[in-house]
Amino acid sequence: MKNNLIILTIVFFSAFLLCGSATAATVNSTTSNALSTAQVKDLIVTEVTAPTKGVKGHTITISNTVKNQGNTATTGFYVNYYLKKSTTSKNIYIGNRYITSLGAGASNHQKTKLTLPTSIASANYFIRAYADSTKLIKESSETNNVKYSPTKINIQSAKRDLIVTEVTAPLWGLKGKTIIVSNTIKNQQNSATTGFWVNYYLKKSSTSTNIYIGHRYITSLGAGASNHQNTKLVVPANTKSTSYFIRAYADSTKLIKETIETNNVKFSPTKINIRSVVDKTPVYITSDNIINKATDNARINKLVVGLASKGIYAVNYGLGPNSHYSVISDSSVPQNALIIDIYGGACAGTIWEMTQKYYKNLVGKRTVYSIWINTATNIANLAFLPRAHDDTFTPLFNSSKSGAFPNFVDTNKDGVFEPGAGYVNGKIYPTKLLETDGIDYPAQLLLNNGYKFWYQQNGDITILVNKILEQAKAKS
């Protein structure tokens, strides 16, 4: 009986040891699995790129990427940015951004705008980006949150320097009348200006007395930017009849503090001949926007030179969709003038406007001659000219408004103009008109209202000069 009891006790104890051994293994396995699936967050900066240049007090844009290489998402945190002359130099804080959260393995890229302090030294700096700079996130590693840009940014003080890069004198000018001077002003430094004035003068020589003829105002001019204009100026009535340079003076009233204050003046390379009267018909040339400003302006200037070689006083009056109207509204344009309006496309609204009483009153005794170039549309061959695709200014056919188009295309032959989707809440959408309005026989309409015109497909300068000369002689 005792022996049996001892054997049973041993068996029971052995079983207990076996059970105890299995339980320990299970506990160790569970602990290991728990450790392997622990939720960790780890923020790093994978990229930060500095621009090559910066200006004190101005903004720069930093391309940068922050990654969470942990296995669980973060809550919100800040990324701070600093300037550093070297990795061991003092941090110069320039701003931050906030990332609301960042998922496991996810990256957040941004082009961040930052403002450079005005008090820093002009030098080359690294950009230092620091993820979770305020320690809002508990990370598996707190020592890998910083990255430097691989290249430096060169930071300089804000500078401005205005120069006149171009000023072109017209060939002729009349006392008491408008001249148009092509001119370009440039800011050749690294910081934008505020507004400033450009003054213009007549000068017999570089040392003679300035004769003031006008000014213009430029509201601002960006770093490295240029501003071109054909500026309208008036020759004083008491100016002596002779030849003059045009003198252009940028920032004539010294509103802008510049790095150089002695390079703001430029003289035209050629002179303008000022006269009291024109012994032949003066010609004023305008142009619509046809190809681009440089090309269209150069075309007019070539016509002016070509006409001058024939003894004709000609003026480049300027470009733009309203230049044909501006020239007849200008009281300084003589009543004996021949006005040449050059177009790149036939606009029914412009032709119809020319027939209106107010327009004819502005024309007065002047002669208006229209020339169409660089277009396949020859109005001489048209029975109907529809509203142009960009004409939102001419009232619809049968409108109660003054100056409405006189004709339309009756698509369904019901005798009613139905503009449909092209006329919504009083606004015209020419490209959506179901039935198109416009003018019948545009060539005859112009002739009936006392206007002459010409179609010249390729815009050949020699042919144009001879045609304008023919009209000028006819008016004389």
Side-chain angles (χ1 to χ4, degrees):
M1 184 68 179
K2 288 182 179 178
N3 291 337
N4 291 340
L5 179 60
I6 292 170
I7 292 169
L8 180 62
T9 302
I10 292 171
V11 170
F12 181 78
F13 184 70
S14 298
F16 178 80
L17 288 176
L18 289 171
C19 289
S21 175
T23 302
T26 302
V27 170
N28 288 337
S29 175
T30 302
T31 303
S32 176
N33 290 336
L35 288 173
S36 66
T37 58
Q39 294 184 341
V40 296
K41 309 172 185 72
D42 190 21
L43 296 170
I44 60 171
V45 181
T46 60
E47 174 254 347
V48 55
T49 305
T52 57
K53 295 180 180 180
V55 179
K56 299 176 190 180
H58 290 56
T59 60
I60 58 172
T61 300
I62 304 296
S63 174
N64 62 105
T65 305
V66 178
K67 182 177 181 180
N68 174 14
Q69 61 181 3
N71 62 12
T72 189
T74 72
T75 52
F77 61 92
Y78 289 91
V79 184
N80 278 16
Y81 304 90
Y82 307 88
L83 297 176
K84 298 269 286 185
K85 289 183 180 179
S86 70
T87 56
T88 58
S89 66
K90 178 184 176 182
N91 286 324
I92 301 173
Y93 175 77
I94 55 174
N96 64 55
R97 70 179 177 109
Y98 185 73
I99 299 176
T100 54
S101 66
L102 197 54
S107 292
N108 181 292
H109 174 78
Q110 188 184 85
K111 291 185 176 179
T112 309
K113 287 187 176 181
L114 304 164
T115 300
L116 298 176
T118 57
S119 58
I120 59 176
S122 296
N124 294 319
Y125 295 86
F126 290 111
I127 303 292
R128 178 178 185 257
Y130 186 173
D132 191 29
S133 51
T134 56
K135 302 295 183 183
L136 296 176
I137 308 300
K138 185 176 181 180
E139 301 180 58
S140 58
S141 173
E142 297 285 359
T143 60
N144 61 351
N145 294 46
V146 171
K147 189 175 181 67
Y148 289 83
S149 60
T151 59
K152 287 185 173 183
I153 177 175
N154 178 263
I155 298 176
Q156 297 293 325
S157 297
K159 299 175 183 177
R160 303 162 186 87
D161 189 25
L162 296 169
I163 59 172
V164 183
T165 58
E166 173 260 342
V167 55
T168 304
L171 294 172
W172 313 99
L174 293 178
K175 297 178 183 181
K177 303 297 182 181
T178 297
I179 61 171
I180 297 179
V181 174
S182 171
N183 63 105
T184 306
I185 313 300
K186 182 177 181 178
N187 174 14
Q188 61 179 1
Q189 274 296 353
N190 62 13
S191 182
T193 72
T194 51
F196 61 92
W197 300 93
V198 185
N199 279 14
Y200 304 88
Y201 307 88
L202 297 177
K203 296 270 285 186
K204 289 182 184 179
S205 69
S206 59
T207 57
S208 64
T209 302
N210 287 321
I211 302 173
Y212 175 77
I213 55 174
H215 62 260
R216 70 180 176 110
Y217 185 73
I218 299 176
T219 55
S220 66
L221 197 54
S226 292
N227 181 293
H228 172 80
Q229 188 185 79
N230 288 332
T231 307
K232 294 176 182 177
L233 306 163
V234 178
V235 177
N238 61 351
T239 304
K240 184 179 179 180
S241 296
T242 188
S243 296
Y244 298 86
F245 292 108
I246 303 289
R247 178 179 183 256
Y249 186 174
D251 192 28
S252 51
T253 57
K254 301 295 182 184
L255 295 176
I256 308 301
K257 185 177 180 181
E258 302 181 57
T259 53
I260 304 175
E261 297 283 3
T262 57
N263 61 350
N264 295 46
V265 171
K266 189 177 182 67
F267 288 83
S268 60
T270 59
K271 288 186 173 183
I272 179 174
N273 187 354
I274 302 298
R275 299 179 178 184
S276 297
V277 294
V278 177
D279 52 1
K280 297 178 182 178
T281 299
V283 177
Y284 288 73
I285 307 173
T286 80
S287 174
D288 200 357
N289 297 323
I290 300 174
I291 298 177
N292 56 59
K293 286 185 178 181
T295 301
D296 297 336
N297 193 58
R299 183 190 305 109
I300 298 180
N301 287 336
K302 288 176 182 178
L303 293 175
V304 169
V305 172
L307 290 167
S309 69
K310 309 286 186 180
I312 298 295
Y313 171 88
V315 175
N316 178 346
Y317 196 81
L319 308 172
N322 293 317
S323 58
H324 71 285
Y325 185 82
S326 298
V327 68
I328 63 170
S329 305
D330 189 341
S331 60
S332 71
V333 176
Q335 285 295 310
N336 68 330
L338 169 64
I339 296 171
I340 305 295
D341 294 324
I342 302 175
Y343 302 101
C347 175
T350 299
I351 293 174
W352 181 236
E353 180 186 35
M354 292 171 66
T355 70
Q356 305 301 300
K357 185 177 179 179
Y358 74 89
Y359 194 95
K360 290 183 174 182
N361 286 339
L362 288 173
V363 171
K365 295 180 180 180
R366 307 174 186 120
T367 298
V368 175
Y369 190 71
S370 302
I371 299 176
W372 279 274
I373 65 172
N374 293 94
T375 175
T377 303
N378 185 351
I379 65 168
N381 303 322
L382 291 181
F384 179 76
L385 181 62
R387 176 189 295 272
H389 69 88
D390 57 352
D391 182 357
T392 58
F393 52 86
T394 307
L396 283 165
F397 170 82
N398 209 27
S399 168
S400 59
K401 296 180 180 179
S402 175
F405 273 130
N407 308 108
F408 75 100
V409 175
D410 190 4
T411 305
N412 60 6
K413 310 298 182 185
D414 65 351
V416 178
F417 179 51
E418 295 146 329
Y423 186 64
V424 181
N425 296 328
K427 186 173 181 179
I428 300 169
Y429 299 87
T431 57
K432 300 178 182 179
L433 289 172
L434 300 184
E435 293 188 338
T436 306
D437 54 358
I439 50 179
D440 285 340
Y441 301 101
Q444 194 58 49
L445 183 65
L446 283 174
L447 294 172
N448 291 345
N449 282 273
Y451 298 107
K452 293 182 179 181
F453 64 91
W454 188 51
Y455 171 79
Q456 206 275 316
Q457 170 59 24
N458 62 9
D460 183 275
I461 296 298
T462 301
I463 297 175
L464 288 172
V465 167
N466 290 332
K467 195 66 178 180
I468 295 170
L469 179 62
E470 176 186 305
Q471 297 302 312
K473 288 180 177 179
K475 184 172 177 59
S476 298

